[in-house]
Amino acid sequence: MLELFSYLHDPELVAGFQRRCGLFFVEAAHHSGGKTRFVNAEKSRGELETGWDHQDNNSNYKYKGNGCSAGASLCRPQYEVRNWLLHFLFLFSAGLGHEIFYITCLPCIHWNLDPFLCRRLVNMWTLVMYVGQVMKDVLKLPRPHSPPVVKLETRVNAEYGLPSTHAMAAIAISFTLLLSAPSRIQFQFEVGLLLAVTLSTLVCLSRLYTGMHSVLDVICGILISAALMFLSYPYWETFDHFQLTSSISPIVALVLPLFLSYTYPELDHYSTTRADTTTILGVGAGCSVGYWVNEQLGQTFELQGVLPVPLPTLTANVLALGVARFLLGVIALVGTRQVMKTVSLQVLYSWYRVPKNDHSARRRKEIEVPYKFVTYTAVGLVNSILVNRVFILLGL
C-alpha cells in the first residue's frame, strides 16, 4: 500500500502526463529555441518582500520555479507548449477553482436560476473546502517538485498539496447541483450527469497539467469530497430547515465560522491557506445569515409554483436580462469587496498601530482573519439580500 501511495505521489507521474498533453519542461541551457514559450508566472503570495526565513523542513517554501531559486526574482518558469488547445482548455478548467469563478458562477445561480440551489452549493462548498484546507496543513504533504514538473501557477506554492481542494470543490459543486436540481427544475438527468462528470474531470486533470498536485492529491480530493457528500446528504433537508427557521441560525452562522478561522492550524511559516479558508467561511457565513433574513422577511426569491418547473426558453430577451443581472450583480459584489477590504484594513491598521505602508502586516493573524472574514461576510450578505431586491427595483 505504501508503495502505491509513493507511486501516485511521484512527481514524474505528473511530468509524464504534462508531456503527453504537449507541455515540456525547458532546461535553462536549452531555452533559446524558436519554439520555446516563456511565460511570467505570478509571484507567490507566500513569497513577500521579507522572504521566507522561517519555514519547516517539510514545506514547499524552498521554491524553485522550474529550476530557479526563490530569491531570483527575474527567474520564471520556462516551458514549451506543443498543444495549445489542451493548454488553454486546462488553464480555463483550473480557473474554475479560483475566486473569480466563485464570485461569479455561484451568485449567478442565485440571481438567474434559484436561490435554493445556490444555498445548497454554498453550504457544501464551504464544508468541503474547510475540511480540505485543514487537511493540507495537518498532513503537510508537499506539492510536486519542479523539475521535473512544470509549474504553471505559483500563487499557492507555499501551501501543501494533499488533498486537492480544486478537485474537492469540483466534485462537491457539480454533484450537489445534480442531486438538488431534480426537485426544483425539469431537466434530463443523464445530460446533467454527463456535464457533472465532464466538468469534474476537466478540473481534476487541470491540477495535474498545471503541476500543482500529484495524482494522489487529486484522487484523495475526489474520495474525500464524495465521502463528505455521502455522509451529509441525508441531513441536507434538516440543515435547510434549521438554517432558514431557527432563531439561533444567524448566531451559529457567524460565531462558528469565525471560531474556525481563528483556530485554524498554525504553521511555522506563512501560507495562504488560512486567508483562503477565512474567505470561504466568511462567504458561507454571510450567505447563511442573508438567507435567514430573507426567510424572515417572507421574500426568498425562490422558484414558485408547482415544482419542478421547466427551464425557461432561452430567448434573446431572457438572455439579455440574464446578462444584465450578471453584470450588475458582479459589480455590486466586487464593489462591496473593495470597499469593505479598504475600510476593515484601515480600522485594523489604526487599532494595532501598524504603518499604512506595511503590506506584510496583512499576514498577521490578528489582522488577516478579521479583515478577510468581515469583507467576505459582507459580500455574502449583499449577494443574498440586496442584489435581488435591486433587480426588482430596476425591473430586472
Side-chain angles (χ1 to χ4, degrees):
M1 185 63 72
L2 290 178
E3 291 182 358
L4 177 61
F5 287 164
S6 178
Y7 170 74
L8 294 176
H9 197 57
D10 187 356
E12 191 56 48
L13 200 59
V14 178
F17 175 78
Q18 290 180 321
R19 290 191 292 268
R20 286 180 179 273
C21 294
L23 182 64
F24 291 82
F25 178 84
V26 177
E27 297 288 351
H30 305 111
H31 69 271
S32 59
K35 295 183 179 180
T36 302
R37 171 69 173 174
F38 296 97
V39 178
N40 288 338
E42 181 185 354
K43 186 177 181 182
S44 172
R45 285 200 300 172
E47 176 196 354
L48 298 175
E49 291 83 355
T50 56
W52 297 322
D53 297 322
H54 304 287
Q55 311 276 349
D56 65 52
N57 293 331
N58 242 353
S59 78
N60 302 293
Y61 91 97
K62 294 177 181 177
Y63 169 63
K64 294 186 178 180
N66 299 328
C68 304
S69 65
S73 60
L74 296 179
C75 212
R76 291 293 185 260
Q78 300 166 3
Y79 54 88
E80 180 181 352
V81 177
R82 298 181 185 176
N83 190 324
W84 287 100
L85 178 61
L86 285 179
H87 183 73
F88 288 118
L89 174 63
F90 284 133
L91 289 185
F92 172 79
S93 302
L96 298 180
H98 295 323
E99 180 185 1
I100 186 65
F101 172 76
Y102 297 133
I103 207 171
T104 54
C105 179
L106 295 183
C108 190
I109 293 175
H110 178 105
W111 305 327
N112 289 307
L113 193 58
D114 186 9
F116 173 91
L117 296 177
C118 183
R119 185 174 70 249
R120 281 279 177 87
L121 293 178
V122 170
N123 289 341
M124 281 306 302
W125 170 66
T126 303
L127 172 63
V128 300
M129 290 297 286
Y130 176 76
V131 171
Q133 294 284 73
V134 169
M135 289 187 68
K136 281 183 181 181
D137 287 343
V138 170
L139 297 175
K140 297 184 177 181
L141 290 180
R143 294 181 184 270
H145 295 294
S146 175
V149 171
V150 178
K151 290 199 174 184
L152 300 182
E153 300 177 13
T154 57
R155 186 187 72 85
V156 294
N157 204 60
E159 295 182 10
Y160 294 104
L162 190 147
S164 167
T165 48
H166 272 71
M168 293 181 70
I171 295 294
I173 290 175
S174 300
F175 288 93
T176 297
L177 183 60
L178 180 66
L179 293 174
S180 300
S183 65
R184 312 290 296 181
I185 299 170
Q186 297 175 16
F187 70 99
Q188 191 170 350
F189 185 83
E190 292 78 8
V191 174
L193 178 61
L194 178 62
L195 290 174
V197 171
T198 301
L199 175 64
S200 302
T201 301
L202 285 174
V203 173
C204 292
L205 292 179
S206 75
R207 303 318 287 160
L208 301 179
Y209 184 83
T210 55
M212 299 312 297
H213 286 287
S214 67
V215 175
L216 181 64
D217 298 342
V218 172
I219 291 176
C220 287
I222 294 171
L223 295 179
I224 293 169
S225 189
L228 289 172
M229 289 188 63
F230 176 79
L231 293 174
S232 64
Y233 179 73
Y235 306 102
W236 285 3
E237 294 288 346
T238 302
F239 185 76
D240 276 343
H241 180 75
F242 170 82
Q243 188 177 32
L244 296 178
T245 63
S246 174
S247 59
I248 65 171
S249 173
I251 300 174
V252 174
L254 291 173
V255 173
L256 180 58
L258 188 59
F259 172 78
L260 294 176
S261 299
Y262 272 105
T263 58
Y264 189 83
E266 297 281 354
L267 299 176
D268 60 2
H269 68 279
Y270 179 75
S271 169
T272 56
T273 49
R274 184 180 63 201
D276 291 344
T277 305
T278 304
T279 295
I280 293 164
L281 292 172
V283 170
C287 287
S288 184
V289 173
Y291 290 126
W292 180 86
V293 169
N294 287 339
E295 182 72 20
Q296 307 312 305
L297 295 177
Q299 193 174 24
T300 62
F301 307 103
E302 294 184 4
L303 295 174
Q304 302 296 320
V306 180
L307 299 175
V309 301
L311 281 171
T313 304
L314 191 61
T315 63
N317 185 52
V318 170
L319 183 61
L321 285 175
V323 171
R325 288 177 179 175
F326 173 78
L327 293 177
L328 183 60
V330 169
I331 290 172
L333 296 191
V334 172
T336 301
R337 174 184 177 274
Q338 193 59 40
V339 170
M340 293 305 299
K341 176 182 177 181
T342 301
V343 172
S344 59
L345 281 175
Q346 287 180 350
V347 171
L348 289 166
Y349 270 42
S350 176
W351 179 266
Y352 290 106
R353 299 180 181 178
V354 176
K356 292 184 179 180
N357 60 351
D358 186 3
H359 298 294
S360 63
R362 298 182 186 185
R363 295 179 294 164
R364 291 164 50 179
K365 181 178 180 179
E366 64 270 23
I367 292 178
E368 183 176 65
V369 170
Y371 111 73
K372 286 283 187 179
F373 190 82
V374 168
T375 297
Y376 286 92
T377 297
V379 170
L381 287 169
V382 169
N383 167 64
S384 54
I385 298 178
L386 294 181
V387 174
N388 275 92
R389 286 174 168 80
V390 172
F391 291 161
I392 293 175
L393 291 175
L394 296 178
L396 297 176

